[in-house]
Amino acid sequence: MADETPTKSRLTRRQLLIGGGVGVGLVVAWTVWPRRYGPNLTAAKGEHIFNAWLKIGEDGHIAVAVPQAEHGQGSWTTLPQIVADELGADWRTVAVEQAPLNPLYANPLAASELFEGVFDRLPQNMREGHITRSALMLTAGSTSVRQFEGDLRDAGAAARVLLQKAAAKRWNTDWQATGTAQGFVVHDKDKLRFGELAAEAVGGSLPDPLPLRAGENGRLSGQSLQRLDSPAKIDGSVNFAADMRLPGMVFAAIRQGPTADSRLVSADKAAADRVHGALKVVEGDHWVAAVADNWWAANRALGALAPRFAAPVGGASDYSIRGALDAALNGDGVRIGAAGDVGAAFRGVQVVSAEYRAAPALHAAIEPRTATAAWSDGTVELWMPTLAPGLARSAVAAAMGVGEAAVIIHPMPIGGGFGIGLESDAGVQAAAIARAVERPVQLTWSRAEDCVHDRFRAPAAARMTGRVDQNGRLVGLLAKIAAPSTGHELAARLLASDTAAQAALALPANGDAYAVAGGTPFYQIPNWALDHHPADIGIPTGYWRSGAHSYTCFFTECFIDELAHAANTEPLSFRVAMLGGNARLARCLTTVAALGGWEGGVAGSGQGIACHSFRGSHIAVFAEAHIEEDQSIGIDRIVAAVDCGRQINPDIVRQNVEGGLVFGIAQALGASTRFKDGLATVRGFGDLDLPVLADMPDITVELIASEADPGGVSELAVPPVAPAIANALQSATGFRIRSLPLKVGET
């Protein structure tokens, strides 16, 4: 990429931080790598590129380049809104486009959230420099606003100053005497449209530091502006990956062996050939695909193939997974964090102890995994839903034996996914099939294939121990959590071609912090410890919405409720008394209690409460629940109070919280699978016990105003829902369910 003189100070500081070396023979020289990167946006006729984040057309339109995937969380609105706010734009003229792969759009914050315990083994200067240099673009960990707000504000401010200078030159006045509003540069009664000034404004000089807009008048930040992605989704004009159509394109259906080391032993190709529309059978290392002129025919041909695979004997089962977790829990653990002296706090005194479990969870997105691929002159183009386009490019290049320059990724809007979009399996397979048939091909996994070969949210087990003193104060807490090392597994799989990451994985590790993320107490407890007990469970695991917080919050908040009962203390007061250093979370708790009509969680009330602090945001959830006559669980009401700091678009914050609450209900009631002979038994939505519209409770969300820096939102509401419901069921029935999903009769 071409080197260019930076146009704004923040981009200069953030463009690249390059470090020295790390063990295992990895040495990176300062002089080898470029220190600055230029934008590689493309401009349409009449458009002018102001910086890596925005273009302004002579017709007045403003195009904002967004490096984050849009999968319903609203990043294609909130991020352009930041630019438009700082620019002084008219929201009606703002458009969004997917940013190209470029180190300028790397997301170190998401890398640290997603690969916790991997990159942090490297020196900081090398870690951040490597993430930037490798263009590690990621949509993960609720990081979009947290990572890019500063860059986007600077981008808008830089363009605004250039437009003001161009207008001031025409008016022969000081540019600092001008301002912007609703897409105009204004000075007294004079005003000029941005589009009129765009051509002459580009390339001007900028002050250091850049002045940000002052005052509250006309600000777009903090307003619930219309989402930019909604109109196309409403009228059906948006193209998802499965909507791609290329000249001469064919369709493929796939069947995979139960494990990565499976091998195909038989397939009835003659039977597949007899299916009308069938064109070819393509075999991979552990999969076989049928190609036809339409997907229905491809799926019928796949059924006719009746493929059989050989796999290692003794695949994972419910019994083996439970046994592996039990063995890990009873074995040696690795201390991830601690304060005070837990051993001394427990010594010679009666303690409270309980064990909890969480089953594997599926992603079960509306859009099954899919990709469209086309080979031409040694280059492959892929249209696919991906949260990590750079990682997808690397995976395809490695699998196809070509350089990364020969792989072009077109990220598409995503129909949900909740983490599965980090995986590139469908893209790799589509590329291989396209090369074999020498035609563009669209591969779509069946719903059964999508369920059986998911990268599951890891199952986990916990042994929680605590001690409450004679004054009802929690003085000691020990959390021992058995779970697979999903963080290391993710890094090894997704960063397979990343030399620095693999070198970091080869260094001595102190457990897997990702596997127990969220287990560190946010309460003020004088003595506490968190141990990870790595478990080899025999199934692939991956990132699932909110990661390990989805089960660690369940373990902690249910156990805190048990400790409150042991202390004969009302659960809300018990929590608030330990939150002296977290006033924002305490306010969430008192707010949700007031809104919900909290009665103290007394026997028969059917009320429960839980809270969580997560990525700079805070949430408390109140639930009312009961047991139906058929022994199913009924949820009557959910109330949430949220403090996520400064809100760019309150409506989008609310949408994310509401969606997270529904997702949390799904986790509480279902979204799981059993295992037999190494395979998930679930084959579709009907097997997942997902809540339907008739099951939805009344949901109330209160957003607490705050001027703190924005925190993460898209995953915030998922973790505390299940423990709030479990605590409500305990108050309704007198017995406690300690396993996810919640099932009556299981403790």
Side-chain angles (χ1 to χ4, degrees), residues 358-732:
L362 285 82
H363 292 88
I366 291 294
E367 178 185 39
R369 280 187 269 181
T370 183
T372 300
W375 275 90
S376 176
D377 298 326
T379 298
V380 59
E381 286 189 81
L382 281 134
W383 291 261
M384 59 186 292
T386 177
L387 301 176
L391 297 182
R393 180 179 64 178
S394 298
V396 171
M400 298 297 102
V402 299
E404 291 190 5
V407 180
I408 301 170
I409 301 290
H410 301 285
M412 304 294 290
I414 303 176
F418 317 112
I420 198 62
L422 293 165
E423 310 290 345
S424 305
D425 310 60
V428 170
Q429 294 160 347
I433 297 168
R435 184 162 64 178
V437 300
E438 298 181 330
R439 292 174 66 175
V441 64
Q442 185 173 98
L443 169 68
T444 302
W445 289 20
S446 67
R447 178 62 62 193
E449 200 72 16
D450 200 47
C451 290
V452 171
H453 294 286
D454 201 354
R455 304 287 188 181
F456 306 93
R457 195 280 311 277
R463 181 173 296 138
M464 309 291 290
T465 306
R467 182 203 156 205
V468 179
D469 68 12
Q470 63 271 24
N471 297 314
R473 295 175 299 189
L474 179 57
V475 295
L477 178 69
L478 171 61
K480 300 167 74 68
I481 299 175
S485 297
T486 299
H488 296 169
E489 183 180 338
L490 273 170
R493 183 171 67 243
L494 301 182
L495 303 173
S497 60
D498 189 309
T499 308
Q502 295 305 311
L505 285 170
L507 293 173
N510 185 28
D512 187 346
Y514 175 100
V516 294
T520 300
F522 42 80
Y523 297 108
Q524 289 185 337
I525 304 171
N527 308 286
W528 65 267
L530 171 65
D531 294 346
H532 175 221
H533 294 251
D536 183 3
I537 60 171
I539 63 172
T541 61
Y543 189 82
W544 193 80
R545 190 174 184 180
S546 78
H549 291 255
S550 60
Y551 53 77
T552 57
C553 180
F554 175 73
F555 300 156
T556 301
E557 283 299 287
C558 286
F559 189 59
I560 290 292
D561 225 57
E562 295 204 50
L563 291 169
H565 286 288
N568 294 315
T569 305
E570 182 265 321
L572 174 65
S573 301
F574 188 71
R575 288 175 167 85
V576 172
M578 298 187 290
L579 288 175
N582 195 337
R584 294 170 66 190
L585 182 55
R587 185 179 178 189
C588 289
L589 276 166
T590 55
T591 299
V592 83
L595 290 173
W598 174 250
E599 298 173 1
V602 297
S605 68
Q607 294 184 342
I609 204 163
C611 61
H612 199 52
S613 286
F614 190 25
R615 293 169 178 158
S617 294
H618 311 274
I619 183 171
V621 172
F622 164 95
E624 286 184 346
H626 65 277
I627 304 296
E628 302 279 6
E629 289 185 4
D630 63 359
Q631 298 300 290
S632 63
I633 294 171
I635 305 170
D636 304 300
R637 196 155 58 110
I638 296 285
V639 181
V642 173
D643 180 347
C644 61
R646 193 164 26 83
Q647 301 164 32
I648 304 299
N649 188 309
D651 267 2
I652 290 180
V653 171
R654 187 178 302 276
Q655 291 161 17
N656 275 278
V657 173
E658 290 173 345
L661 294 172
V662 173
F663 199 93
I665 293 171
Q667 177 196 212
L669 301 183
S672 186
T673 182
R674 295 184 177 276
F675 279 83
K676 182 179 180 181
D677 299 327
L679 288 176
T681 59
V682 163
R683 294 294 185 273
F685 288 151
D687 301 328
L688 284 171
D689 294 325
L690 296 176
V692 296
L693 189 59
D695 301 322
M696 283 295 100
D698 177 69
I699 293 177
T700 302
V701 175
E702 177 73 10
L703 302 180
I704 297 173
S706 173
E707 287 305 311
D709 288 340
V713 176
S714 62
E715 301 178 315
L716 173 66
V718 176
V721 177
I725 295 171
N727 294 337
L729 292 173
Q730 195 281 331
S731 70

Side-chain angles (χ1 to χ4, degrees), residues 231-400:
K233 289 178 177 177
I234 291 170
D235 65 24
S237 61
V238 64
N239 280 325
F240 291 90
D243 299 318
M244 284 302 304
R245 294 296 182 267
L246 300 174
M249 190 178 82
V250 294
F251 299 82
I254 197 166
R255 186 77 50 78
Q256 300 169 81
T259 61
D261 51 1
S262 306
R263 59 182 180 85
L264 183 68
V265 294
S266 69
D268 192 345
K269 295 182 180 180
D273 290 341
R274 290 193 292 270
V275 174
H276 181 70
L279 301 173
K280 190 169 184 175
V281 173
V282 179
E283 296 181 16
D285 291 338
H286 59 278
W287 53 264
V288 62
V291 182
D293 57 16
N294 64 83
W295 190 85
W296 177 248
N299 200 43
R300 289 185 60 221
L302 185 65
L305 274 172
R308 294 178 59 237
F309 295 87
V313 178
S317 66
D318 293 344
Y319 179 80
S320 70
I321 292 172
R322 187 181 185 96
L325 292 174
D326 286 345
L329 200 56
N330 292 320
D332 294 333
V334 179
R335 183 134 297 175
I336 301 298
D341 188 341
V342 171
F346 291 165
R347 194 171 299 130
V349 224
Q350 186 175 1
V351 297
V352 178
S353 186
E355 292 193 5
Y356 296 86
R357 292 186 179 273
L362 285 82
H363 292 88
I366 291 294
E367 178 185 39
R369 280 187 269 181
T370 183
T372 300
W375 275 90
S376 176
D377 298 326
T379 298
V380 59
E381 286 189 81
L382 281 134
W383 291 261
M384 59 186 292
T386 177
L387 301 176
L391 297 182
R393 180 179 64 178
S394 298
V396 171
M400 298 297 102

Side-chain angles (χ1 to χ4, degrees), residues 122-263:
L122 303 176
Q124 183 177 359
N125 60 345
M126 181 180 180
R127 175 174 70 245
E128 296 184 5
H130 176 76
I131 290 169
T132 301
R133 187 176 61 250
S134 57
L136 193 51
M137 292 171 60
L138 293 168
T139 304
S142 303
T143 58
S144 295
V145 172
R146 292 190 292 150
Q147 172 63 44
F148 294 111
E149 182 184 18
D151 287 330
L152 291 165
R153 288 207 179 278
D154 281 357
R160 172 176 47 78
V161 168
L162 293 176
L163 291 166
Q164 287 177 267
K165 285 190 169 185
K169 186 175 181 181
R170 287 196 189 185
W171 295 327
N172 194 27
T173 189
D174 182 0
W175 71 268
Q176 296 181 80
T178 69
T180 59
Q182 290 294 307
F184 290 89
V185 179
V186 295
H187 178 252
D188 294 332
K189 294 182 180 180
D190 295 323
K191 62 181 182 179
L192 288 168
R193 291 184 182 275
F194 289 170
E196 298 177 63
L197 299 165
E200 57 199 90
V202 169
S205 61
L206 289 169
D208 186 6
L210 281 169
L212 299 180
R213 280 186 83 195
E216 296 299 322
N217 293 335
R219 299 305 295 257
L220 298 180
S221 187
Q223 293 191 40
S224 294
L225 302 178
Q226 180 184 7
R227 289 180 62 141
L228 296 181
D229 58 323
S230 292
K233 289 178 177 177
I234 291 170
D235 65 24
S237 61
V238 64
N239 280 325
F240 291 90
D243 299 318
M244 284 302 304
R245 294 296 182 267
L246 300 174
M249 190 178 82
V250 294
F251 299 82
I254 197 166
R255 186 77 50 78
Q256 300 169 81
T259 61
D261 51 1
S262 306
R263 59 182 180 85

